[in-house]
Amino acid sequence: TYIWHVNDARLTLRLSSEAKARIERAARTSGFSSVSDFIVSSTLRAADEAILRSERLVISERAMAALLQAHASEPQAQTPDLRAAISKYEEFVLAMGEFVSLNKGHRRDQFESGNVELDNYLKHYARQDQKRGASQTWVLANPNNPFQIETYYTLSAHSVVCEQLRFPYRAIPTILLGRLAVSRRSQGKNYGRIAVVDALLRSKKISSEIGLRFVLVQPINQDVEAFYRKLSFKHLTDSEYWYFDLNQL
């Protein structure tokens, strides 16, 4: 039995000495600072891949009814918070430049947000996912250093499915705003809100070319829920997801 510490928690695994050595070697060659980070990141990666293979979120009948009601309703007026966020975004882009697709020139290895999972994803997996078509990563670089990443987010195609419904809508196409992180040096400067607005406007542009109405997020805690609520996201009944109606833009 081998024990690794992950932050304040313990991860206990039963494996052979050979397997332990292979894991340690893989962690070193992958550039991880610790075996624990490698194990957690690899496990989460496997979980994400399992979800992406299904490319859908199965929801309850009540949740689907709520989405269908929103789908059939007239567009809601933008809230003051959303209008202010869009206005701030427009000013911000003029000063900082636009978000661009992640490329090999960006210094992913230097990005540090304080969230190990999000940092490791950018460093080790984001480019792989782009090449495979699993998700697209958008970054905002420092205007004085175009390779220094200040914030990033990911978008991927998704669908919401209700097993109880067959017709007329059994599945609704959506976009998943899956990850979002801001570097330590840029935290507290509205970069997160700017990134969300960019993701919404990008999704709105895509919706003019394909059938698309909603953007999904999965907040990790109540503070993040409050953050998205101010940007006009609504909780999806019976689920951990929140959705944004692109008709508000």
Side-chain angles (χ1 to χ4, degrees):
T1 300
Y2 296 95
I3 299 175
W4 286 283
H5 289 272
V6 183
N7 295 328
D8 295 327
R10 291 199 315 171
L11 178 65
T12 304
L13 299 175
R14 291 186 179 275
L15 39 110
S16 66
S17 298
E18 179 184 355
K20 177 176 180 288
R22 289 173 60 191
I23 291 173
E24 291 174 339
R25 180 182 177 186
R28 288 194 303 271
T29 56
S30 299
F32 284 85
S33 58
S34 72
V35 174
S36 299
D37 286 349
F38 172 74
I39 292 174
V40 172
S41 183
S42 299
T43 303
L44 291 171
R45 170 70 170 170
D48 286 343
E49 289 182 345
I51 294 170
L52 286 171
R53 278 196 296 271
S54 65
E55 293 185 344
R56 66 179 190 170
L57 167 65
V58 179
I59 62 174
S60 70
E61 198 166 353
R62 283 205 313 157
M64 180 61 85
L67 272 186
L68 290 177
Q69 182 177 2
H71 201 281
S73 64
E74 293 295 321
Q76 294 184 347
Q78 291 182 2
T79 64
D81 282 334
L82 180 58
R83 286 199 303 272
I86 294 174
S87 177
K88 182 69 175 179
Y89 167 84
E90 293 170 348
E91 297 174 5
F92 194 93
V93 168
L94 287 175
M96 292 289 295
E98 297 183 346
F99 281 76
V100 298
S101 178
L102 177 68
N103 63 58
K104 62 182 180 181
H106 288 120
R107 297 307 305 269
R108 292 169 290 143
D109 59 316
Q110 297 179 355
F111 185 83
E112 182 181 352
S113 69
N115 184 305
V116 173
E117 178 191 347
L118 294 175
D119 293 351
N120 284 340
Y121 176 80
L122 181 65
K123 294 173 182 177
H124 302 288
Y125 302 120
R127 287 271 294 161
Q128 294 179 29
D129 279 353
Q130 286 190 164
K131 291 177 181 178
R132 297 188 310 159
S135 69
Q136 183 70 33
T137 299
W138 296 92
V139 303
L140 182 68
N142 187 307
N144 298 317
N145 184 350
F147 302 114
Q148 179 176 292
I149 300 172
E150 299 299 334
T151 183
Y152 85 88
Y153 68 84
T154 66
L155 294 179
S156 58
H158 213 62
S159 65
V160 175
V161 178
C162 180
E163 299 288 4
Q164 290 79 25
L165 293 180
R166 300 292 174 182
F167 184 83
Y169 295 108
R170 185 170 179 268
I172 295 179
T174 67
I175 281 184
L176 179 65
L177 173 52
R179 293 176 176 84
L180 189 156
V182 179
S183 68
R184 287 185 186 275
R185 61 182 166 271
S186 296
Q187 291 175 7
K189 301 178 182 179
N190 286 321
Y191 277 70
R193 181 168 296 193
I194 296 301
V196 172
V197 173
D198 189 83
L200 295 178
L201 294 176
R202 195 174 303 279
S203 299
K204 179 66 173 180
K205 183 178 180 180
I206 295 171
S207 73
S208 66
E209 300 176 357
I210 63 174
L212 177 66
R213 178 73 178 267
F214 302 107
V215 174
L216 295 179
V217 295
Q218 189 178 20
I220 59 176
N221 56 45
Q222 292 184 344
D223 289 339
V224 179
E225 288 179 358
F227 167 78
Y228 281 113
R229 185 184 294 112
K230 284 186 177 181
L231 292 174
S232 298
F233 281 78
K234 295 182 178 180
H235 180 236
L236 182 56
T237 308
D238 296 338
S239 81
E240 298 177 351
Y241 286 80
W242 290 59
Y243 70 92
F244 180 90
D245 186 347
L246 290 171
N247 275 5
Q248 295 177 87
L249 299 177

